[in-house]
Amino acid sequence: MRQNKLPAPLLVPALLWCLGICLGKATDVPFLLWLALAAGVAVSAFLLRSQRTVFLLLLCLVLGALRFVADQKPSALDQVFLRQNHIQQDANFMVTKLLSREAGIYEIRLEELAGVRIREPLSLFSQSELKTGQLYSALLEVLPGKQDPVLDTYTARHRAYVRQNLSEVPRAGRFLPIAAWRVRLLEGLEAKLGADAGFAKALLLSDTSAKGMYRDKLTRSGMVHLIVVSGLHVWFVYAICMVLLNSFLPRRWGEAVFLVLIALYAALNHWSPAVVRAALMIGIMIIARWRSIPMAGAQLLALSLLVITVVSPNQLFNIGLQLSFLCIGVIILALPRITWIKERALPNDSLRLRLSRILDLLFLNLIVGLSILPLTLFYFGTGSLNGILGNVIGIPLSGLLLTLSFLVLFLPGGNFLGAAFVSSYRLVLLIFEAWMEWVAKLPFYLENTWINGWQLLGGFLLVFALLNCLKNMKFRWQILPFASLGLLLAFLPGLKSRPEGGIYVFNSGTADCILVRLTEGTNLLVDTGPRHWNAERSWASRKLLPWMQRKGIGKLDWMVLTHLDADHSGGFEDLASAHKLRNLIVTDETMRDPKWLDWEQTGLLEGVNVHCVTDTVTFAIQGAKLKFLHPDRSFFPVSSNASSLLFRMDYQDKRYLFTGDADTDAEAHLLLHYPEELKADYLKAGHHGSRTSSSREFVRAVRPDEVWITASARNQWGFPHPEPLDAFRRYAKRIRSTSEGTIYVPFAQKD
């Protein structure tokens, strides 16, 4: 894959094709119009010979857009969901992948729904443990995947829930499907390696169990790509297979067998973009060698990109494919050749060569790390240059682990040789873990630093300018405009699309998280969303933090934690760690909770001004008044919901009543002691619309223009319940629910 001067005529057409796919995604131009434009460009290319090259390149761009638009046909389920909001029918489905054992989440492929044959991938939630590769029948409830208008960039996959009658369906014939073969291989690794099988399963079959276990250390060390099946691992597989095959087959026969094996291997890894890219490049390289066709690395890269995006244009927007092609593209097209040590400085040829190779590897890691940094900051809010050093040892260790994993899997156990390979694997794994932990402690790591699209473009322009200088080892004035524009886009704060003043009632499931952004720029957060016991990360870390960073919200001036139930306080630790929290309002019951004491001991509350509400009190925040009505000194709560903070915010001649999970006992106390304080224009429904809150008398006293219900669609508690809904319909003018997406209520903007 080293650079060479062979031509790569497909490179520019491939880039224009991909640009056309992006154009098709970004515009609403219909298919027929793109088709007419493609026909017009093709005719122009045929008639205008002098400009044929230009028109052919333009045709590549138009055909890319045409291919993307043609691929966007609604599925059968999409068409059903246009008429109804859920489906509950008997179904047959194949379990293709385990996504989370703790949460009981699987990836499935529908085979049949309501007697109609339909093949479509879904996310399935099941309380019963399912076998990957097994065919099941059950009564499924299928809900549409929705895109939150505020938080989400992409539409979520449709999801299904097992309701009843779950049973295995025997498959006819002896042939096992790919998913079943995958299960057999994973079980074989577990039987031979036990608790240490996680790394081997990740390296061979993209199993995510070990990745989840070591996620933080792998991310901080910049070595997370070494524990997934990436293009690098496919080259290791190629080397291993060819050594074994060439030991008893002629080279060409061995390569032919390998092409079949690598296709099977890609299928076992769910056709991962990085695996498909590497497999295609190796396959094209082998076929070109058979035909004695010299081919540049850039040509291999362009051809594999064209094949993938012609088959599935949406793959272009897959982060795995983007990272894979960016890394290999930088290595092939932009990596300069540098003479590190001259002969007169070190006459020993062997030592000079070894030192030069080490410096080459460090430089390669640096260039690739800098190149992918904008992309990882954009998607994940993290970036690590620790991998510059970590990969020097990590890549050879990963290759050795991969080789040993193959040997352990395919060689019979129960003998001295098998035991030796297992012991060797465990020893190398210990060394890898120790190295990973040491590298993870290095300081070259960014966390919770999301960038927006403009900054991403600026980062790529800066990387382009840097690579251009390094490639020629001198500064060229031609790249100055690119560097200047890159700096402007990357660091100009005004380019961030800051949210306007208003209230964001976030779609966080059946949970509470509300951001009040005053027009003066002050940020007030009411509760933090959920953290489920079986989830690796909180909702706030997955959804809210990236959104806040992209909107330029770097601080939280005030936060109100109504109480410490997990659906209200689950994201506090992540938010307090990521943002500077200045003021926190809680009750004295909260400050006696063991969770609070743990936060104090871990230093999470250090530097935070904590305001404890023990009675009715008013806080003045910029132009807003926050009047805390509950719990007061005379109320003695018997549950966490009853002790939930309830306050009214007065701002710009409007009243907003935030109730947390305050129950009917709390409402009765308020009606008795503060009835005149309850009238509000907007009401956040208590306890997600449960019948334990929002009594008719309370809603009548509030008489809101608008009610907000924080509950997910068709949740397990059946929120909102009929009784509060009846009260809302009787006394409110409008009812809105976060089940339809994040609710945004703007404030009047100051001149």
Side-chain angles (χ1 to χ4, degrees), residues 457-468:
L457 177 59
F460 280 142
L461 288 174
L462 289 174
V463 169
F464 170 78
L466 175 64
L467 292 178
N468 199 282

Side-chain angles (χ1 to χ4, degrees), residues 415-471:
N415 52 50
F416 174 77
L417 186 61
F421 284 133
V422 170
S423 298
S424 300
Y425 168 86
R426 287 177 171 149
L427 176 61
V428 177
L429 180 59
L430 285 174
I431 298 172
F432 183 90
E433 289 176 342
W435 175 251
M436 174 186 64
E437 290 182 4
W438 183 81
V439 175
K441 296 176 182 177
L442 297 177
F444 309 108
Y445 176 71
L446 291 174
E447 188 175 20
N448 295 320
T449 312
W450 280 269
I451 61 175
N452 59 26
W454 289 111
Q455 291 172 311
L456 175 66
L457 177 59
F460 280 142
L461 288 174
L462 289 174
V463 169
F464 170 78
L466 175 64
L467 292 178
N468 199 282
C469 288
L470 290 174
K471 192 170 181 65

Side-chain angles (χ1 to χ4, degrees), residues 178-249:
I178 290 295
W181 280 109
R182 176 183 167 85
V183 172
R184 295 288 180 87
L185 295 174
L186 292 173
E187 289 175 348
L189 287 170
E190 286 184 353
K192 294 178 180 179
L193 296 173
D196 296 321
F199 265 60
K201 292 192 294 184
L203 290 171
L204 288 177
L205 296 165
S206 303
D207 185 80
T208 58
S209 56
K211 185 179 176 182
M213 189 184 308
Y214 298 102
R215 181 184 300 274
D216 291 339
K217 291 177 182 178
L218 285 167
T219 303
R220 294 189 68 89
S221 64
M223 297 161 58
V224 70
H225 62 288
L226 297 183
I227 195 172
V228 295
V229 181
S230 63
L232 175 66
H233 290 82
V234 176
W235 287 96
F236 276 126
V237 171
Y238 171 64
I240 295 169
C241 288
M242 292 313 301
V243 168
L244 295 175
L245 291 170
N246 288 338
S247 63
F248 60 88
L249 287 175

Side-chain angles (χ1 to χ4, degrees), residues 573-587:
E573 296 179 19
D574 293 319
L575 286 165
S577 300
H579 288 287
K580 181 174 179 56
L581 177 59
R582 297 181 177 178
N583 297 279
L584 177 62
I585 302 175
V586 294
T587 63

Side-chain angles (χ1 to χ4, degrees), residues 530-556:
R531 179 169 192 146
H532 302 297
W533 65 271
N534 54 8
E536 289 185 15
R537 298 187 296 160
S538 69
W539 170 87
S541 69
R542 292 185 293 106
K543 294 284 189 176
L544 183 61
L545 277 173
W547 179 81
M548 292 175 67
Q549 288 286 346
R550 289 173 182 174
K551 295 299 183 181
I553 302 176
K555 61 182 176 64
L556 290 172

Side-chain angles (χ1 to χ4, degrees), residues 11 41 61 149 177 214 224 235 256 267 428 433 524 536 697-699:
L11 183 59
V41 174
L61 185 142
Y214 298 102
V224 70
W235 287 96
V428 177
E433 289 176 342
L524 163 68
E536 289 185 15
E697 295 77 13
F698 181 78
V699 179

